[in-house]
Amino acid sequence: MSLSIADLAELRQRLTSGFGPIESEVLAEKASSLGYHGRQVEKAMAALAAFDAAPGSAEERLILIKAAAQDVWKFFVQREACGMRDQRDAIRHYGIPPEVLARLGAIEK
């Protein structure tokens, strides 16, 4: 069995990159999920800011805070799955308020 130059080039690429097709696919899925959850956090923070600009009842705001906490928690879990353990930059970037952070991981019955 002889290998073509293209086969050798592909083999060399896989050996030197450290990623095969499956690993590349997993990385792509992680990146896609991270982007999705980041957009969900952006939407949650925008909804909270819009509510604060024209305040309503405390109960309505609490619903937004709880929803935002769930979105942020999912985002942080995905970041950690991607190897990003320090959340401080994300907290600053998205403007996540302390009252949302205080609810992370809380399960309501």
Side-chain angles (χ1 to χ4, degrees):
M1 174 178 160
S2 64
L3 294 174
S4 71
I5 292 178
D7 291 335
L8 288 173
E10 180 184 345
L11 180 59
R12 181 172 185 232
Q13 175 63 27
R14 276 198 266 159
L15 291 173
T16 58
S17 72
F19 296 110
I22 294 174
E23 291 87 358
S24 295
E25 187 69 25
V26 169
L27 288 174
E29 288 298 321
K30 283 182 177 182
S32 175
S33 182
L34 184 62
Y36 170 79
H37 288 291
R39 287 187 299 277
Q40 295 304 108
V41 170
E42 286 176 347
K43 289 177 186 177
M45 294 303 107
L48 194 54
F51 181 85
D52 288 344
S57 71
E59 293 82 22
E60 291 172 325
R61 189 167 195 282
L62 183 58
I63 291 169
L64 289 174
I65 293 290
K66 288 179 182 180
Q70 284 184 337
D71 288 334
V72 169
W73 180 78
K74 291 173 189 176
F75 177 61
F76 284 178
V77 167
Q78 189 59 41
R79 280 177 53 89
E80 288 182 12
C82 292
M84 295 177 263
R85 307 278 188 259
D86 189 352
Q87 309 301 350
R88 290 177 287 192
D89 287 336
I91 291 168
R92 278 191 297 274
H93 176 76
Y94 291 100
I96 303 169
E99 60 193 323
V100 170
L101 295 171
R103 291 188 165 276
L104 292 185
I107 297 175
E108 301 282 333
K109 291 191 180 202

